[in-house]
Amino acid sequence: MKNALVLAAGALVACAPAATRQAPPATSSAQVQQAFPGDAKQFVAKVNEDLKHLSVESSTAEWIKSTYITDDTERNAAVANERLLAYSSDAAKTATKFKDMSLDADTTRMLYLLRIGSLVIDDPAKRQELTSLGARLEGYYGAAKDAKGRDLEELSKIIDRSHNYDELLDAWRSWHDTARPQRQRYERFVQLENEGARGAGFANMGDMWRAGYDMPPEQFEKETDRLWQQVKPLYDDLHCYVRAQLQKTYGKDKVPDGKPIPAHLLGNMWAQEWTNVYPLVEPYKGVANLDVDGALAAQKWDATRVVKTGEAFFTSMGLDPLPKTFWERSMITKPRDREVVCHASAWDVSFSDDLRIKMCIRNPPTEEDLTTVHHELGHDYYFHAYYKLPFLYQAGANDGFHEAIGDALVLSMTPGYLKQLGLVPAIQSDEKAVINFQMKNALAKVAFLPFGKLIDQWRWDVFSGKTAPSEYNKAWWALRTRDQGVSAPVARTEQDFDPGAKYHIPANVAYTRYFLARLLQFQFYRAMCQAAGQKGPLHQCSFYGSKEAGQRLWKMLALGASKPWPDALEAMTGQRQMDGSALLEYFQPLEGWLKQQNQGKRCGW
């Protein structure tokens, strides 16, 4: 999900026919300010109206481009995005004229959101260049194939499933090499983004992104560091255990003690989540059958059933069913006749409850597909909760909130819930079963934490100039080694552009939201468990079917971005600070077990 203003290219976007029509030129915000001299309230009202109109046009084009990648659809999206960028750029500049006025709370907040969410680029040629580059970067990623004609989906299947070292290495290198042509485009893209950020009054694009968290950019960076230090000891214990287990499959010569783990051995193209190596690291073999993939295949689940199961979780909590148009307009499987961006995303295409998801659910579906659907529907239900608010409030309290909603429900997918779905056999609740289940969850949730943090750390350094273009790859692997304990499996040079092999870099989607979401989801989960009256250990809680939990969730969702995020967090949890303690409470059984297993081992890297 992207901010529709910052790049002027949403991942929350409209119905196809409108994109081909030429809308009349929108009134410029300068003309609006001239029409309402000194009246900030009227200015904001008109800007809300204009931005919605232009964003629908832009998001419609984005939807078509993402579900039908061609030169024409990329160009069409770039034109629509340039129109939105031109207007929002002008609006942000005009908004500064009202900055020092004493205004009502709503007008003040909307002006603030406008300033932090809009690049300011006066030169039409540069605006067009920026939007065209943005469309090309994402379009190239979506259509990329290796020298043998294999796309990301095919290469990911190898990374996800194979335990053959050389086969894994070939797939990893083949995909990462596809990003090389993106390097020069990205360097120019950074220059233009920074120019737009400076026009909006920020030192660079990284500062502009960090300013979106209701605190100064430098304070936000310290906040993410504080949160990481809270949970890092658990990650370090998990890393030590997983490395020792991988040595049993690949040998200590390939996975040595005291060294980073080679990135291609962790069951994910980017080593961001390690769930697929669970069979290699399972604590107690054969205890508690957690083979959800096998059950989905055996029971012949299809994509529609997966999505309806996700919807059923939300409706069990008293929330509305998805609109009929969701089922008519979503793309839930990969079309055979065209190139598409398979990276899963959620959309409100017309910002008026036009809910959709775009993803390529596999056949047969996997457990990852099932959890991804819950995640994406979390976005859609957030859109649904706030779509009647003024356009500038149609966003999450912060972008981490948006990412955390569906994942909080995934935490509630306990063995008991999966048993209800018929996907696991009779529940085992002994200590061994608990450790197995927690290990599987930790490989997704805990393993992700440093990756979720370092992507934007790399970009903040790129945007600020701390990392020069001549050191893009060197800086990337330095961060991945330092924070993740993961290394490139073969020598990489500055001919490579490995950051560009991860969707969110060419698509220009800020990534710290995912790091925050991994922590916020546990805060949300604990709060909804409390609302549901859960007794006993946190990890055993499922609030499926709890109307009280649904009411607690809806209270926060309905605020959108109308209040600073601490207010929204308090509405859900009673807390005003993001906190890793709920995650640590959830994984308490596993943490103690890992410490026992790691005794006498050479941990760290």
Side-chain angles (χ1 to χ4, degrees), residues 155-406:
L155 292 167
S156 289
K157 281 180 183 175
I158 298 169
I159 294 289
D160 292 353
R161 298 172 187 174
S162 176
H163 299 147
N164 179 297
Y165 188 95
D166 293 332
E167 187 178 30
L168 289 166
L169 180 59
D170 174 67
W172 186 94
R173 182 161 41 192
S174 294
W175 174 250
H176 281 75
D177 286 354
T178 66
R180 286 178 176 176
Q182 296 274 66
R183 186 183 180 115
Q184 206 169 6
R185 294 180 196 127
Y186 188 75
E187 183 180 342
R188 178 57 178 158
F189 188 77
V190 167
Q191 293 170 356
L192 293 167
E193 286 266 295
N194 273 343
E195 185 173 332
R198 286 192 296 272
F202 298 93
N204 56 66
M205 193 66 201
D207 273 10
M208 188 171 184
W209 276 354
R210 286 175 290 186
Y213 290 91
D214 295 298
M215 63 177 73
E218 60 279 4
Q219 185 183 340
F220 177 67
E221 190 165 353
K222 288 177 182 174
E223 180 71 355
T224 57
D225 288 341
R226 177 188 68 80
L227 291 165
W228 168 232
Q229 291 306 316
Q230 261 191 294
V231 295
K232 185 177 183 295
L234 176 58
Y235 176 82
D236 290 347
D237 286 338
L238 180 67
H239 182 282
C240 187
Y241 172 78
V242 167
R243 181 174 59 197
Q245 298 306 303
L246 291 177
Q247 287 173 342
K248 296 176 182 178
T249 298
Y250 300 107
K252 282 196 175 186
D253 58 323
K254 291 186 168 65
V255 189
D257 284 331
K259 298 289 184 183
I261 301 171
H264 65 310
L265 300 181
L266 287 161
N268 175 272
M269 184 63 78
W270 308 277
Q272 67 181 62
E273 292 171 345
W274 306 347
T275 316
N276 288 319
V277 301
Y278 177 78
L280 304 183
V281 306
E282 186 178 29
Y284 298 105
K285 300 296 182 186
V287 174
N289 179 5
L290 299 174
D291 183 16
V292 175
D293 286 2
L296 290 167
Q299 296 173 29
K300 295 184 168 49
W301 281 52
D302 61 13
T304 300
R305 185 174 176 186
V306 169
V307 180
K308 284 192 173 294
T309 299
E311 177 192 31
F313 202 124
F314 286 91
T315 57
S316 82
M317 298 166 65
L319 277 63
D320 297 332
L322 292 163
K324 182 171 177 282
T325 52
F326 172 91
W327 301 101
E328 297 166 347
R329 298 170 182 171
S330 290
M331 185 193 89
I332 61 174
T333 57
K334 186 177 183 179
R336 294 184 177 183
D337 61 340
R338 60 188 189 271
E339 300 289 353
V340 300
V341 176
C342 272
H343 185 87
S345 56
W347 305 61
D348 180 354
V349 179
S350 62
F351 302 90
S352 55
D353 220 26
D354 183 8
L355 308 179
R356 309 180 194 184
I357 59 172
K358 173 190 65 62
M359 61 184 291
C360 300
I361 296 174
R362 285 158 278 206
N363 183 23
T366 65
E367 182 178 10
E368 183 182 357
D369 291 323
L370 185 62
T371 57
T372 298
V373 162
H374 283 74
H375 173 90
E376 298 304 337
L377 291 183
H379 290 304
D380 275 346
Y381 275 93
Y382 214 159
F383 301 152
H384 177 63
Y386 60 55
Y387 81 91
K388 293 181 181 177
L389 295 179
F391 180 78
L392 284 167
Y393 285 166
Q394 289 191 37
N398 71 39
D399 52 16
F401 278 58
H402 235 301
E403 300 300 334
I405 302 304

Side-chain angles (χ1 to χ4, degrees), residues 6 82 85-90 93 118-128 130-131 191-197 199-200:
V6 166
E82 196 279 329
L85 179 57
Y87 182 88
S88 58
S89 172
D90 189 27
K93 192 161 59 172
S118 306
L119 298 173
V120 175
I121 300 178
D122 292 327
D123 184 347
K126 286 185 176 177
R127 286 198 303 265
Q128 184 176 12
L130 175 64
T131 54
Q191 293 170 356
L192 293 167
E193 286 266 295
N194 273 343
E195 185 173 332

